[in-house]
Amino acid sequence: MSKNQVLFERAQRTIPGGVNSPVRAFRSVGGTPRFIERAEGAYFWDADGKRYIDYIGSWGPMILGHVHPEVLDAVQRVLANGFSFGAPTEAEIEIAEEICKLVPSIEQVRMVSSGTEATMSALRLARGFTNRSRIIKFEGCYHGHADSLLVKAGSGLLTFGNPTSAGVPADIAKHTTVLEYNNVEQLDEAFRAFGSEIASVIVEPVAGNMNLVRATPEFLNALRERCSEYGAVLIFDEVMCGFRVALGGAQEVYGIKPDLTCLGKVIGGGMPAAAFGGRRDIMAHLAPLGGVYQAGTLSGNPIAVAAGLKTLQLIQRRGFYDDLAKQTRKLVDGLTAAAREAKVPFSADSIGGMFGLYFMDSVPGSFAQIQQGDTRRFNAFFHAMLDAGVYFAPSAFEAGFVSSAHDDAVIDATIDAARGAFASLAA
C-alpha cells in the first residue's frame, strides 16, 4: 500500500472525508488523493516521493511558482518579529497602497483572511449601503461558502433560489436570485422585476469554478449599466482572476469599473490573505466608521502581508504578464493539437495565467454548456496525466494555473505526456 493510501485512510478517521476542502478528496475523479510533502518552482512531491508538474498552484496563488526565493526571504525577515499582533502594522498600509495603485476601481481596501470572508463581507456592505436585501449571482460562479451564496436557481427564471447545502435556511436563500452566466436577457428581466430590491450583483468576470469561462463584454457592460441605473452595487469577485489574468485583473482586461472588488489567492502569495475594496463612499459604511460590522483577528497578518506584498511587487516586472500568457497559451495549444492527433473531442482556452480544458468540441460560455462535457473522458485523462507526473485539477469543473516557473521544458514535458494520455483515450 502506498504512503498516500495509508495517510488517506488515517485522515478519514479524524477529518471528515479525509480532507479539509472537498475537491481534494478526488471524489469526482476517483482514486486516492496525493498528500504533498514539499514543492519548488513548477513542481511538487507527494508522500511517496513522486514528482508532479503542478497546474493548480494552490488553486491560483503561486503565480511565481513555489518557494520563490524573494518571497521566502520576505517571509523569513518578518518571522523573527512575531507571528501576529492583533494591532496595526505599517506593512498593512503598504499592501493597501499597492492594491489601490494596481486596481484603480479600489479607493479603499479592507484585508481579511479568505476569499469567502471577502465576498461575504462585500455583500453585507452592499446591503448596508443600499438598505436592500436581494442579491443576484450567476449559475456556475462560486463565491465561497457563505449561506446566501450557496444557492442554485429555482424552478423558474425568477423564482426564489433554493439552498444547495444542508444547513442553509430557505429564508436566507430566498434573497438570492440566480441567473444564467452571459445571459443579458435574463439579467434585464430580473432588473425589471426586482430592480428596487436589488442590493448587489456579484459575478466572477472570468469564472474559474465551473472551469474557465469568460464573460462576454456585452454581459459585463450590461451588468455595469443596470447596476448604475437601479442603484445596485456591482461586485467583481476577482479572488481567483485578480492579478492572474492581468496586473489590474479582469476589470483591466474588460475596461469596466465595479463598485466593489474581492481579491484573494495571489495577494497572499500562498499565505491565507484576501481583501475587499472599492468606492470610498461605500467603504465608509464599514465599522468603525459606519454601521456595517466586519472584523478579523488575523486580518492583515504580518506574515501573510509580507508574502503578498513581495508577490505583488515581483509581478510588476516588465514583460511578466506577456510571458505568463505566452506560456499558458503554448500549453493549451499543445494540448489541443495532441487531442486532435488522437481524434479526441477537446477544446481549451486561456487568459493570462489561467486555463480551461474541456472534453467537448468548442469552448463553453455557460454552466449549462460546461455540463455537456465528457466527464468520463476527463477522469481518464486526469489519471493518465497523474500517472505521467502531471497534476491537473481533480475535477472537470475547475480552472488550471500556470506560473512563471513553468518554462518551455515544463510545458513541453506536459504536452509529451498528453500525447500518450489522449492516445489511450482514443484506443
Side-chain angles (χ1 to χ4, degrees), residues 167-246:
V168 177
D171 282 348
I172 292 177
K174 74 180 185 181
H175 295 296
T176 301
T177 297
V178 184
L179 306 178
E180 186 179 45
Y181 195 72
N182 278 331
N183 191 322
V184 175
E185 183 179 343
Q186 282 192 5
L187 178 72
D188 287 343
E189 188 176 346
F191 268 99
R192 283 194 297 268
F194 302 127
S196 62
E197 304 173 25
I198 298 171
S200 176
V201 178
I202 186 168
V203 66
E204 287 184 278
V206 175
N209 291 285
M210 55 175 153
N211 211 321
L212 175 72
V213 179
R214 303 187 196 212
T216 64
E218 294 78 14
F219 176 62
L220 293 184
N221 278 311
L223 287 179
R224 178 65 279 172
E225 291 168 5
R226 298 302 166 269
C227 286
S228 296
E229 180 182 354
Y230 286 88
V233 175
L234 176 59
I235 302 175
F236 272 14
D237 178 353
E238 297 219 43
V239 168
M240 187 170 280
C241 62
F243 304 114
R244 256 286 163 194
V245 300

XYZ file of all heavy atoms in Angstrom, residues 167-246:
615
model
N -28.162 22.952 5.869
C -27.777 23.947 6.861
C -27.985 25.374 6.419
O -27.753 26.299 7.204
N -28.394 25.582 5.153
C -28.694 26.930 4.666
C -30.203 27.127 4.729
O -30.947 26.465 3.997
C -28.192 27.136 3.223
C -28.598 28.521 2.723
C -26.682 26.967 3.154
N -30.702 28.009 5.590
C -32.147 28.207 5.706
C -32.754 28.767 4.421
O -32.152 29.619 3.760
C -32.274 29.224 6.852
C -30.980 29.148 7.595
C -29.948 28.809 6.562
N -33.950 28.288 4.099
C -34.647 28.787 2.916
C -34.911 30.280 3.022
O -34.951 30.996 2.016
C -35.954 28.026 2.721
N -35.083 30.790 4.255
C -35.348 32.217 4.445
C -34.159 33.073 4.026
O -34.328 34.246 3.688
C -35.689 32.501 5.912
C -37.114 32.119 6.263
O -37.888 31.847 5.325
O -37.446 32.096 7.457
N -32.958 32.488 4.065
C -31.779 33.212 3.582
C -31.658 33.066 2.073
O -31.433 34.042 1.353
C -30.501 32.699 4.285
C -30.526 33.093 5.766
C -29.244 33.254 3.611
C -29.355 32.572 6.568
N -31.843 31.847 1.583
C -31.710 31.584 0.149
C -32.706 32.400 -0.677
O -32.431 32.752 -1.823
C -31.883 30.101 -0.134
N -33.853 32.708 -0.102
C -34.898 33.393 -0.881
C -34.489 34.805 -1.293
O -35.093 35.387 -2.190
C -36.206 33.436 -0.100
C -36.238 34.427 1.061
C -37.583 34.384 1.773
C -37.669 35.450 2.864
N -38.963 35.400 3.581
N -33.455 35.345 -0.657
C -32.997 36.691 -1.005
C -31.966 36.669 -2.147
O -31.457 37.724 -2.531
C -32.386 37.376 0.216
C -33.364 37.631 1.321
N -34.446 38.471 1.177
C -33.427 37.141 2.579
C -35.136 38.499 2.302
N -34.538 37.693 3.172
N -31.666 35.480 -2.657
C -30.695 35.339 -3.738
C -31.392 34.885 -5.010
O -32.095 33.880 -5.016
C -29.608 34.310 -3.356
O -28.950 34.743 -2.162
C -28.573 34.183 -4.476
N -31.195 35.634 -6.076
C -31.716 35.267 -7.393
C -30.544 34.788 -8.245
O -29.522 35.466 -8.333
C -32.400 36.472 -8.072
O -33.518 36.869 -7.274
C -32.872 36.118 -9.473
N -30.698 33.608 -8.849
C -29.625 33.011 -9.637
C -29.999 33.052 -11.112
O -31.061 32.574 -11.512
C -29.354 31.556 -9.206
C -28.165 30.985 -9.974
C -29.106 31.485 -7.706
N -29.129 33.628 -11.925
C -29.354 33.758 -13.366
C -28.272 33.024 -14.142
O -27.241 32.635 -13.581
C -29.361 35.237 -13.771
C -30.319 36.166 -13.017
C -30.162 37.594 -13.522
C -31.758 35.701 -13.160
N -28.496 32.859 -15.435
C -27.514 32.195 -16.286
C -26.375 33.157 -16.630
O -26.607 34.310 -16.997
C -28.180 31.711 -17.574
C -27.250 30.890 -18.454
C -27.938 30.388 -19.718
O -28.641 31.166 -20.371
O -27.763 29.207 -20.045
N -25.175 32.667 -16.509
C -23.971 33.443 -16.850
C -24.003 33.810 -18.327
O -24.385 33.012 -19.185
C -22.747 32.585 -16.539
C -21.420 33.286 -16.481
C -21.099 34.128 -15.425
C -20.456 33.065 -17.459
C -19.856 34.734 -15.335
C -19.209 33.668 -17.391
C -18.915 34.509 -16.323
O -17.674 35.106 -16.251
N -23.637 35.038 -18.636
C -23.565 35.555 -20.010
C -24.930 35.723 -20.676
O -25.003 35.877 -21.892
C -22.673 34.669 -20.901
C -21.198 34.984 -20.732
O -20.837 36.118 -20.419
N -20.343 33.995 -20.928
N -26.012 35.731 -19.882
C -27.351 35.884 -20.444
C -27.885 37.280 -20.114
O -28.387 37.519 -19.006
C -28.279 34.801 -19.890
C -29.610 34.742 -20.625
O -30.170 35.771 -20.999
N -30.118 33.533 -20.828
N -27.769 38.199 -21.058
C -28.194 39.585 -20.850
C -29.717 39.685 -20.746
O -30.251 40.471 -19.960
C -27.665 40.489 -21.993
C -28.208 41.909 -21.845
C -26.135 40.499 -21.995
N -30.424 38.866 -21.503
C -31.884 38.914 -21.486
C -32.431 38.572 -20.098
O -33.332 39.249 -19.589
C -32.450 37.945 -22.530
C -33.968 37.980 -22.639
C -34.488 37.025 -23.707
O -33.695 36.587 -24.561
O -35.693 36.726 -23.671
N -31.880 37.534 -19.466
C -32.314 37.186 -18.110
C -31.984 38.308 -17.130
O -32.778 38.617 -16.230
C -31.648 35.897 -17.653
C -32.260 34.634 -18.220
C -31.743 33.397 -17.503
O -30.995 33.478 -16.520
N -32.138 32.234 -17.988
N -30.827 38.898 -17.296
C -30.431 39.998 -16.422
C -31.436 41.147 -16.513
O -31.890 41.681 -15.485
C -29.033 40.483 -16.803
C -28.500 41.670 -16.001
C -28.159 41.236 -14.587
C -27.286 42.283 -16.697
N -31.787 41.532 -17.727
C -32.747 42.626 -17.918
C -34.090 42.286 -17.300
O -34.738 43.135 -16.667
C -32.914 42.922 -19.413
C -31.700 43.622 -20.004
O -30.897 44.160 -19.228
O -31.554 43.611 -21.245
N -34.522 41.056 -17.457
C -35.804 40.637 -16.898
C -35.778 40.706 -15.374
O -36.749 41.128 -14.730
C -36.132 39.220 -17.364
C -37.536 38.772 -16.991
C -37.891 37.402 -17.539
O -37.163 36.910 -18.432
O -38.895 36.828 -17.072
N -34.674 40.305 -14.765
C -34.549 40.349 -13.313
C -34.607 41.786 -12.798
O -35.266 42.072 -11.790
C -33.251 39.674 -12.882
N -33.919 42.679 -13.467
C -33.944 44.073 -13.016
C -35.316 44.712 -13.223
O -35.754 45.526 -12.403
C -32.851 44.880 -13.717
C -31.565 44.914 -12.943
C -30.522 44.053 -13.266
C -31.390 45.785 -11.891
C -29.336 44.067 -12.553
C -30.215 45.813 -11.158
C -29.183 44.953 -11.494
N -35.998 44.345 -14.293
C -37.352 44.870 -14.475
C -38.275 44.393 -13.354
O -39.144 45.134 -12.882
C -37.910 44.441 -15.838
C -37.359 45.230 -17.013
C -38.173 45.008 -18.277
N -38.143 43.604 -18.719
C -37.246 43.123 -19.583
N -36.304 43.922 -20.092
N -37.290 41.851 -19.950
N -38.082 43.157 -12.908
C -38.949 42.598 -11.878
C -38.568 43.055 -10.468
O -39.443 43.298 -9.631
C -38.912 41.074 -11.954
N -37.272 43.145 -10.192
C -36.819 43.350 -8.821
C -35.911 44.562 -8.627
O -35.293 44.705 -7.571
C -36.036 42.111 -8.339
C -36.789 40.827 -8.392
C -36.263 39.715 -9.047
C -38.017 40.694 -7.776
C -36.937 38.509 -9.078
C -38.706 39.491 -7.790
C -38.173 38.394 -8.448
N -35.801 45.439 -9.621
C -34.785 46.490 -9.598
C -34.669 47.247 -8.300
O -33.565 47.484 -7.792
N -35.780 47.634 -7.702
C -35.745 48.436 -6.480
C -35.358 47.626 -5.243
O -35.111 48.190 -4.179
C -37.103 49.095 -6.247
O -38.111 48.115 -6.058
N -35.308 46.281 -5.376
C -34.956 45.412 -4.250
C -33.502 44.956 -4.281
O -32.997 44.411 -3.303
C -35.841 44.152 -4.258
C -37.329 44.387 -4.236
C -38.091 43.079 -4.420
O -37.528 42.008 -4.083
O -39.215 43.120 -4.916
N -32.830 45.151 -5.407
C -31.510 44.540 -5.610
C -30.418 45.377 -4.950
O -30.171 46.525 -5.332
C -31.208 44.361 -7.110
C -32.230 43.411 -7.743
C -29.799 43.816 -7.305
C -32.160 43.339 -9.253
N -29.780 44.776 -3.956
C -28.659 45.439 -3.294
C -27.386 45.321 -4.109
O -26.601 46.265 -4.212
C -28.432 44.827 -1.919
N -27.203 44.149 -4.718
C -25.912 43.888 -5.365
C -26.024 42.797 -6.411
O -26.865 41.898 -6.303
C -24.887 43.466 -4.308
O -23.653 43.123 -4.900
N -25.166 42.897 -7.399
C -24.913 41.816 -8.338
C -23.457 41.405 -8.152
O -22.562 42.248 -8.205
C -25.153 42.246 -9.794
C -24.827 41.100 -10.747
C -26.587 42.719 -9.996
N -23.221 40.124 -7.902
C -21.860 39.624 -7.736
C -21.553 38.642 -8.849
O -22.387 37.797 -9.193
C -21.658 38.981 -6.344
C -20.183 38.599 -6.139
C -22.594 37.799 -6.121
C -19.850 38.237 -4.699
N -20.359 38.761 -9.435
C -20.014 37.945 -10.597
C -18.509 37.692 -10.629
O -17.716 38.539 -10.203
C -20.466 38.644 -11.905
C -19.682 39.932 -12.147
C -20.351 37.713 -13.110
N -18.133 36.513 -11.098
C -16.743 36.270 -11.484
C -16.600 36.759 -12.934
O -17.153 36.128 -13.845
C -16.409 34.784 -11.449
C -16.267 34.164 -10.080
C -15.835 32.712 -10.183
O -16.697 31.842 -10.399
O -14.624 32.443 -10.056
N -15.888 37.844 -13.201
C -15.771 38.316 -14.578
C -15.012 37.346 -15.476
O -15.217 37.329 -16.689
C -15.042 39.657 -14.443
C -14.351 39.581 -13.124
C -15.205 38.723 -12.248
N -14.142 36.575 -14.894
C -13.572 35.392 -15.551
C -13.806 34.247 -14.575
O -13.150 34.154 -13.541
C -12.077 35.552 -15.865
C -11.519 34.253 -16.431
C -11.844 36.702 -16.842
N -14.777 33.419 -14.881
C -15.140 32.353 -13.952
C -14.067 31.267 -13.948
O -13.508 30.927 -14.996
C -16.494 31.764 -14.333
N -13.798 30.727 -12.769
C -12.813 29.651 -12.668
C -13.308 28.461 -11.895
O -12.591 27.479 -11.737
N -14.543 28.544 -11.393
C -15.043 27.491 -10.530
C -16.105 26.622 -11.182
O -16.729 25.797 -10.524
C -15.574 28.099 -9.240
C -14.463 28.665 -8.376
O -13.725 27.934 -7.746
N -14.322 29.983 -8.369
N -16.355 26.839 -12.485
C -17.120 25.871 -13.267
C -16.225 25.419 -14.424
O -16.695 24.982 -15.460
C -18.418 26.489 -13.795
C -18.275 27.769 -14.600
S -19.875 28.292 -15.271
C -19.638 30.084 -15.397
N -14.926 25.522 -14.224
C -13.856 25.522 -15.210
C -13.711 26.964 -15.691
O -14.436 27.847 -15.246
C -14.110 24.549 -16.369
C -12.809 23.995 -16.937
O -11.820 24.720 -17.054
N -12.794 22.718 -17.289
N -12.770 27.225 -16.550
C -12.573 28.585 -17.041
C -13.674 28.942 -18.041
O -13.832 28.276 -19.064
C -11.208 28.699 -17.722
C -10.926 30.055 -18.379
C -10.693 31.115 -17.325
C -9.729 29.979 -19.318
N -14.435 29.978 -17.720
C -15.449 30.507 -18.631
C -15.344 32.023 -18.602
O -15.461 32.642 -17.542
C -16.874 30.067 -18.243
C -17.896 30.672 -19.204
C -16.994 28.548 -18.245
N -15.135 32.611 -19.758
C -15.013 34.067 -19.833
C -16.390 34.718 -19.946
O -17.261 34.229 -20.664
C -14.229 34.480 -21.069
C -12.853 33.912 -21.218
C -12.214 34.583 -22.393
N -11.048 33.900 -22.896
C -10.017 34.529 -23.447
N -10.026 35.837 -23.554
N -8.984 33.841 -23.902
N -16.558 35.824 -19.264
C -17.733 36.646 -19.503
C -17.587 37.340 -20.846
O -16.475 37.688 -21.264
C -17.887 37.684 -18.397
N -18.702 37.564 -21.543
C -18.646 38.350 -22.771
C -18.626 39.830 -22.406
O -19.187 40.235 -21.371
C -19.867 38.073 -23.663
O -21.055 38.518 -22.985
C -19.978 36.589 -23.984
N -17.992 40.666 -23.224
C -18.019 42.110 -22.948
C -19.440 42.655 -22.861
O -19.722 43.536 -22.030
C -17.254 42.701 -24.141
C -16.362 41.596 -24.609
C -17.146 40.336 -24.388
N -20.340 42.145 -23.697
C -21.728 42.616 -23.685
C -22.380 42.334 -22.331
O -23.127 43.171 -21.801
C -22.529 41.930 -24.796
C -22.095 42.279 -26.209
C -20.827 41.544 -26.653
O -20.425 40.570 -25.969
O -20.239 41.954 -27.673
N -22.103 41.167 -21.764
C -22.673 40.775 -20.478
C -22.177 41.686 -19.363
O -22.969 42.225 -18.571
C -22.305 39.313 -20.204
C -22.736 38.787 -18.875
C -24.077 38.733 -18.531
C -21.797 38.312 -17.970
C -24.474 38.225 -17.300
C -22.183 37.794 -16.747
C -23.533 37.763 -16.409
N -20.865 41.904 -19.285
C -20.319 42.734 -18.217
C -20.729 44.195 -18.371
O -20.995 44.890 -17.374
C -18.802 42.603 -18.161
C -18.257 41.233 -17.740
C -16.738 41.274 -17.634
C -18.854 40.779 -16.408
N -20.798 44.677 -19.603
C -21.274 46.049 -19.816
C -22.727 46.206 -19.383
O -23.107 47.227 -18.795
C -21.113 46.443 -21.292
C -19.704 46.899 -21.616
O -19.134 47.718 -20.919
N -19.120 46.344 -22.666
N -23.537 45.183 -19.661
C -24.942 45.220 -19.228
C -25.032 45.233 -17.709
O -25.863 45.954 -17.130
C -25.707 44.035 -19.806
N -24.189 44.464 -17.041
C -24.162 44.468 -15.576
C -23.857 45.865 -15.049
O -24.532 46.369 -14.135
C -23.105 43.491 -15.062
C -23.375 41.999 -15.170
C -22.182 41.213 -14.635
C -24.618 41.618 -14.395
N -22.836 46.487 -15.619
C -22.460 47.826 -15.159
C -23.601 48.829 -15.384
O -23.916 49.649 -14.509
C -21.196 48.263 -15.904
C -20.664 49.659 -15.588
C -20.183 49.819 -14.164
N -21.269 50.067 -13.207
C -21.110 50.082 -11.895
N -19.925 49.860 -11.369
N -22.139 50.301 -11.101
N -24.209 48.758 -16.549
C -25.281 49.705 -16.874
C -26.506 49.505 -15.993
O -27.092 50.479 -15.493
C -25.660 49.556 -18.349
C -24.578 50.042 -19.304
C -24.835 49.629 -20.738
O -25.915 49.048 -21.014
O -23.967 49.874 -21.594
N -26.921 48.260 -15.772
C -28.116 48.021 -14.963
C -27.876 48.390 -13.501
O -28.758 48.958 -12.853
C -28.558 46.553 -15.051
C -28.944 46.086 -16.425
C -30.068 46.892 -17.068
N -30.142 46.579 -18.484
C -29.492 47.252 -19.429
N -28.745 48.300 -19.116
N -29.598 46.898 -20.692
N -26.717 48.058 -12.976
C -26.426 48.413 -11.583
C -26.413 49.930 -11.403
O -26.949 50.455 -10.413
C -25.093 47.811 -11.150
S -25.160 46.020 -10.862
N -25.829 50.648 -12.342
C -25.821 52.113 -12.263
C -27.230 52.669 -12.365
O -27.611 53.594 -11.636
C -24.937 52.683 -13.376
O -23.594 52.289 -13.210
N -28.016 52.102 -13.260
C -29.379 52.595 -13.482
C -30.268 52.397 -12.265
O -31.075 53.269 -11.916
C -29.982 51.874 -14.686
C -31.400 52.286 -15.033
C -31.971 51.497 -16.203
O -31.221 50.700 -16.817
O -33.167 51.674 -16.503
N -30.121 51.247 -11.591
C -31.022 50.909 -10.482
C -30.406 51.136 -9.103
O -31.044 50.843 -8.088
C -31.474 49.454 -10.605
C -32.479 49.225 -11.706
C -32.070 48.943 -13.006
C -33.852 49.296 -11.456
C -32.990 48.726 -14.028
C -34.785 49.079 -12.465
C -34.343 48.795 -13.753
O -35.260 48.592 -14.761
N -29.195 51.638 -9.046
C -28.573 51.916 -7.758
C -28.088 50.690 -7.014
O -27.949 50.715 -5.782
N -27.824 49.597 -7.726
C -27.280 48.380 -7.106
C -25.750 48.423 -7.137
O -25.150 49.096 -7.975
C -27.786 47.138 -7.837
N -25.150 47.708 -6.222
C -23.686 47.667 -6.122
C -23.166 46.510 -6.971
O -23.560 45.355 -6.771
C -23.247 47.491 -4.654
C -21.732 47.316 -4.561
C -23.701 48.676 -3.817
N -22.281 46.809 -7.916
C -21.674 45.776 -8.754
C -20.389 45.290 -8.093
O -19.454 46.066 -7.879
C -21.372 46.316 -10.149
C -20.651 45.345 -11.105
C -21.458 44.071 -11.317
C -20.362 46.025 -12.447
N -20.369 43.992 -7.771
C -19.198 43.379 -7.135
C -18.526 42.436 -8.121
O -19.154 41.503 -8.621
C -19.588 42.593 -5.870
C -20.289 43.497 -4.861
C -18.346 41.950 -5.245
C -20.819 42.751 -3.640
N -17.267 42.680 -8.398
C -16.455 41.735 -9.162
C -15.731 40.828 -8.168
O -14.944 41.310 -7.350
C -15.430 42.457 -10.026
C -15.919 42.850 -11.392
C -17.266 42.831 -11.717
C -15.013 43.264 -12.367
C -17.712 43.199 -12.974
C -15.450 43.634 -13.638
C -16.797 43.596 -13.942
N -16.031 39.544 -8.220
C -15.294 38.569 -7.431
C -14.056 38.178 -8.224
O -14.107 37.343 -9.118
C -16.179 37.356 -7.147
C -15.445 36.264 -6.363
O -14.213 36.398 -6.156
O -16.086 35.277 -5.975
N -12.940 38.825 -7.883
C -11.667 38.542 -8.552
C -10.715 37.806 -7.602
O -9.499 37.941 -7.720
C -11.053 39.829 -9.089
C -11.884 40.522 -10.163
C -11.043 41.115 -11.276
O -10.094 40.433 -11.724
O -11.348 42.243 -11.690
N -11.289 37.050 -6.689
C -10.468 36.242 -5.791
C -9.542 35.335 -6.595
O -8.359 35.198 -6.287
C -11.351 35.416 -4.841
C -10.531 34.353 -4.105
C -12.046 36.326 -3.836
N -10.073 34.765 -7.666
C -9.280 33.849 -8.487
C -8.592 34.567 -9.647
O -7.405 34.359 -9.904
C -10.170 32.722 -9.017
C -9.418 31.625 -9.740
S -10.449 30.185 -10.112
C -10.459 29.354 -8.524
N -9.309 35.416 -10.370
C -8.736 36.012 -11.585
C -7.967 37.298 -11.310
O -7.209 37.759 -12.173
C -9.821 36.253 -12.636
S -11.114 37.412 -12.156
N -8.126 37.892 -10.124
C -7.382 39.103 -9.807
C -5.888 38.866 -9.798
O -5.412 37.920 -9.169
N -5.134 39.694 -10.514
C -3.676 39.561 -10.677
C -3.281 38.274 -11.379
O -2.097 37.966 -11.483
C -2.950 39.665 -9.327
C -3.250 40.924 -8.579
C -3.930 40.892 -7.376
C -2.874 42.147 -9.085
C -4.223 42.046 -6.688
C -3.160 43.318 -8.406
C -3.842 43.268 -7.205
N -4.259 37.524 -11.893
C -3.997 36.285 -12.618
C -4.120 36.484 -14.119
O -3.328 35.953 -14.893
C -4.997 35.206 -12.175
C -4.428 34.168 -11.241
C -3.536 33.218 -11.965
N -2.670 32.476 -11.065
C -1.621 31.770 -11.465
N -1.311 31.717 -12.738
N -0.871 31.128 -10.619
N -5.134 37.227 -14.539
C -5.369 37.420 -15.971
C -4.701 38.683 -16.479
O -4.499 38.850 -17.682
C -6.873 37.432 -16.291
C -7.512 36.119 -15.871
C -7.590 38.603 -15.637
N -4.375 39.604 -15.575
C -3.679 40.846 -15.916
C -3.282 41.502 -14.599
O -3.812 41.157 -13.534
C -4.569 41.785 -16.728
